[in-house]
Amino acid sequence: MAQIASMSTGPASAACALRERNDGQDSRSASIAAFRHVRAETERRAAPLSAEDQVVQSMPDASPIKWHRAHTTWFFEQFLLVPHLAGYRAFDERFAFLFNSYYVAAGPRHARPKRGLITRPSGAEVAAYRAHVDAAVERLIADVPAAKLADVLRVVEIGLNHEQQHQELILTDLLHAFAENPDNPVYDAAWRLPRGDKETRGFVDLAEGIRTVGHQDAGFCFDNEEPAHRALVGAVGIARGLVTNGEWLEFIADGGYARPELWLSDGWATVAAEGWSAPGYWRRQDEDGDDDCWNVMTLAGLVPVDPALPVCHVSYYEADAFARWAGKHLPSEAEWEVAARGGELDAAFGVVWQWTRSAYAPYPGYRPVEGALGEYNGKFMVNQMVLRGSSCATPHGHTRVSYRNFFYPPARWQFTGLRLAEFPI
Ligand SMILES: [Fe+2]
């Protein structure tokens, strides 16, 4: 658990303690400090980008950076200020339509694939919107009556965790846009994918047993991590290390992308439709030749594929096919969580999200948050797969062992990789 503890320091993690400290000035101060810290991190990630960088939408699943900055602000306005700050007036009545994402209960909204066409409001107007809402939120936290403080801090906490999720999307959506640019733009020349804690091989064996999984402490979690419940786990072995680029090169060399017997039917159809022959953002160094030397587009621009690094930007379909080729499986999310709680996994956090073979479904006894925020997670619990851990793009203080990320099986623009599992013979 050392990885988690080391990532839970600083003002952002102060938000995680708010539910226990909601009766006085300390909790107000801690909330304001956490709020400022998280809001500033969004701006820090956007700061190197030009106005043009911030308006482009390279595919329907990705959103413009300017939209992320405005949407996270609308979230506080819609779900915190409007219901809780008496007399609050929206910064601009048009913004709810432009910057609502998918909350049906919050009213009509602009079509997601057309977010890149919102050239106005300008970036400067979005900055003013953020400043307006920031001031109002801080005023609310400072002045709300004690009897309502807990309710306010709960929504602040959700809003901050929501904004941290968008901070990760800022980097992944930007990388997708930059990868479409023939000039291979550089976001941060010093950016590198972490290697993990150590060179780790082999499998950790989990004995068969009934174990408790799901959120189990007093800190913040999303509703989809609850309730904690018992699950049958094992017997199974979980790989201590992540699958590497070097191993993926072996998969490619063995015809991995050309052998239908390795693929789920939907996955094989996707390989054909998309023309996949390597992970996302990989490009042959000699585009006209047939050598197996690859470059990869990263936040540091185009760099050679490093065989020692964990493989990244693979879909669930690819992860599943690789596991089948290797004679292994993907772990279930319960297996992953039990192994991670035991501190047995290298690079469980902070490198790449790890696909599991678990469908994204409600835990037994799951109840969504009441009201419009109940749309946050629950309505997406079909047709997606769970990823565990966190990635190099996940903000500090936003990592938990019970965290459930989820994406559709073909998605690969996130920082997604895998570790393997094996069953006893
Ligand atoms: Fe959102």
Side-chain angles (χ1 to χ4, degrees), residues 67 71 75 101-103 162 166 376:
W67 187 91
H71 163 71
F75 191 96
S101 52
Y102 54 68
Y103 296 90
H162 168 258
H166 280 272
Y376 200 113

mmCIF file of all heavy atoms in Angstrom, residues 67 71 75 101-103 162 166 376, ligand 1:
data_model
loop_
_atom_site.group_PDB
_atom_site.id
_atom_site.type_symbol
_atom_site.label_atom_id
_atom_site.label_comp_id
_atom_site.label_asym_id
_atom_site.label_seq_id
_atom_site.Cartn_x
_atom_site.Cartn_y
_atom_site.Cartn_z
ATOM 1 N N TRP A 67 -13.125 23.335 -23.433
ATOM 2 C CA TRP A 67 -14.396 22.766 -22.973
ATOM 3 C C TRP A 67 -14.208 22.114 -21.600
ATOM 4 O O TRP A 67 -15.059 22.288 -20.712
ATOM 5 C CB TRP A 67 -14.926 21.748 -23.994
ATOM 6 C CG TRP A 67 -16.305 21.260 -23.662
ATOM 7 C CD1 TRP A 67 -17.484 21.785 -24.087
ATOM 8 C CD2 TRP A 67 -16.635 20.153 -22.799
ATOM 9 N NE1 TRP A 67 -18.533 21.088 -23.543
ATOM 10 C CE2 TRP A 67 -18.043 20.077 -22.755
ATOM 11 C CE3 TRP A 67 -15.890 19.237 -22.072
ATOM 12 C CZ2 TRP A 67 -18.711 19.119 -22.009
ATOM 13 C CZ3 TRP A 67 -16.552 18.283 -21.319
ATOM 14 C CH2 TRP A 67 -17.946 18.222 -21.294
ATOM 15 N N HIS A 71 -16.440 23.102 -18.572
ATOM 16 C CA HIS A 71 -17.366 22.081 -18.055
ATOM 17 C C HIS A 71 -17.147 21.824 -16.565
ATOM 18 O O HIS A 71 -18.117 21.715 -15.800
ATOM 19 C CB HIS A 71 -17.181 20.787 -18.851
ATOM 20 C CG HIS A 71 -17.746 19.575 -18.187
ATOM 21 N ND1 HIS A 71 -19.105 19.347 -18.073
ATOM 22 C CD2 HIS A 71 -17.141 18.522 -17.569
ATOM 23 C CE1 HIS A 71 -19.312 18.201 -17.428
ATOM 24 N NE2 HIS A 71 -18.139 17.683 -17.110
ATOM 25 N N PHE A 75 -19.912 22.442 -13.609
ATOM 26 C CA PHE A 75 -20.275 21.411 -12.632
ATOM 27 C C PHE A 75 -20.449 22.037 -11.247
ATOM 28 O O PHE A 75 -21.430 21.755 -10.541
ATOM 29 C CB PHE A 75 -19.181 20.334 -12.613
ATOM 30 C CG PHE A 75 -19.542 19.085 -11.863
ATOM 31 C CD1 PHE A 75 -20.043 17.968 -12.518
ATOM 32 C CD2 PHE A 75 -19.354 18.999 -10.482
ATOM 33 C CE1 PHE A 75 -20.358 16.806 -11.820
ATOM 34 C CE2 PHE A 75 -19.664 17.845 -9.783
ATOM 35 C CZ PHE A 75 -20.167 16.746 -10.452
ATOM 36 N N SER A 101 -22.443 18.078 -19.827
ATOM 37 C CA SER A 101 -21.925 16.936 -20.583
ATOM 38 C C SER A 101 -23.028 15.943 -20.903
ATOM 39 O O SER A 101 -23.451 15.803 -22.055
ATOM 40 C CB SER A 101 -20.807 16.253 -19.796
ATOM 41 O OG SER A 101 -21.242 15.950 -18.471
ATOM 42 N N TYR A 102 -23.522 15.240 -19.854
ATOM 43 C CA TYR A 102 -24.512 14.180 -20.105
ATOM 44 C C TYR A 102 -25.613 14.141 -19.057
ATOM 45 O O TYR A 102 -26.318 13.151 -18.956
ATOM 46 C CB TYR A 102 -23.822 12.815 -20.205
ATOM 47 C CG TYR A 102 -22.934 12.449 -19.022
ATOM 48 C CD1 TYR A 102 -23.466 12.187 -17.754
ATOM 49 C CD2 TYR A 102 -21.558 12.322 -19.196
ATOM 50 C CE1 TYR A 102 -22.656 11.833 -16.688
ATOM 51 C CE2 TYR A 102 -20.732 11.979 -18.129
ATOM 52 C CZ TYR A 102 -21.286 11.731 -16.883
ATOM 53 O OH TYR A 102 -20.475 11.380 -15.830
ATOM 54 N N TYR A 103 -25.765 15.216 -18.283
ATOM 55 C CA TYR A 103 -26.740 15.208 -17.184
ATOM 56 C C TYR A 103 -28.113 15.605 -17.712
ATOM 57 O O TYR A 103 -28.426 16.794 -17.857
ATOM 58 C CB TYR A 103 -26.278 16.129 -16.054
ATOM 59 C CG TYR A 103 -24.994 15.637 -15.439
ATOM 60 C CD1 TYR A 103 -23.762 16.054 -15.939
ATOM 61 C CD2 TYR A 103 -25.004 14.711 -14.400
ATOM 62 C CE1 TYR A 103 -22.573 15.578 -15.405
ATOM 63 C CE2 TYR A 103 -23.829 14.221 -13.854
ATOM 64 C CZ TYR A 103 -22.615 14.662 -14.368
ATOM 65 O OH TYR A 103 -21.446 14.182 -13.844
ATOM 66 N N HIS A 162 -14.338 15.143 -9.573
ATOM 67 C CA HIS A 162 -14.759 15.230 -10.971
ATOM 68 C C HIS A 162 -13.737 16.021 -11.789
ATOM 69 O O HIS A 162 -13.336 15.606 -12.883
ATOM 70 C CB HIS A 162 -16.136 15.914 -11.026
ATOM 71 C CG HIS A 162 -16.559 16.323 -12.391
ATOM 72 N ND1 HIS A 162 -16.485 17.631 -12.824
ATOM 73 C CD2 HIS A 162 -17.045 15.606 -13.437
ATOM 74 C CE1 HIS A 162 -16.928 17.692 -14.073
ATOM 75 N NE2 HIS A 162 -17.272 16.495 -14.466
ATOM 76 N N HIS A 166 -11.209 15.051 -15.114
ATOM 77 C CA HIS A 166 -11.037 15.814 -16.352
ATOM 78 C C HIS A 166 -9.591 16.251 -16.554
ATOM 79 O O HIS A 166 -9.159 16.455 -17.695
ATOM 80 C CB HIS A 166 -11.983 17.008 -16.373
ATOM 81 C CG HIS A 166 -13.383 16.614 -16.779
ATOM 82 N ND1 HIS A 166 -13.798 16.566 -18.084
ATOM 83 C CD2 HIS A 166 -14.433 16.199 -16.032
ATOM 84 C CE1 HIS A 166 -15.058 16.156 -18.136
ATOM 85 N NE2 HIS A 166 -15.466 15.931 -16.908
ATOM 86 N N TYR A 376 -23.948 10.303 -12.562
ATOM 87 C CA TYR A 376 -22.486 10.358 -12.697
ATOM 88 C C TYR A 376 -21.919 9.021 -13.170
ATOM 89 O O TYR A 376 -21.108 8.967 -14.102
ATOM 90 C CB TYR A 376 -21.874 10.746 -11.351
ATOM 91 C CG TYR A 376 -20.473 11.301 -11.418
ATOM 92 C CD1 TYR A 376 -20.208 12.617 -11.099
ATOM 93 C CD2 TYR A 376 -19.409 10.500 -11.794
ATOM 94 C CE1 TYR A 376 -18.925 13.132 -11.157
ATOM 95 C CE2 TYR A 376 -18.127 10.997 -11.858
ATOM 96 C CZ TYR A 376 -17.889 12.306 -11.541
ATOM 97 O OH TYR A 376 -16.619 12.813 -11.603
HETATM 98 FE FE FE B 1 -17.588 15.679 -16.441
#
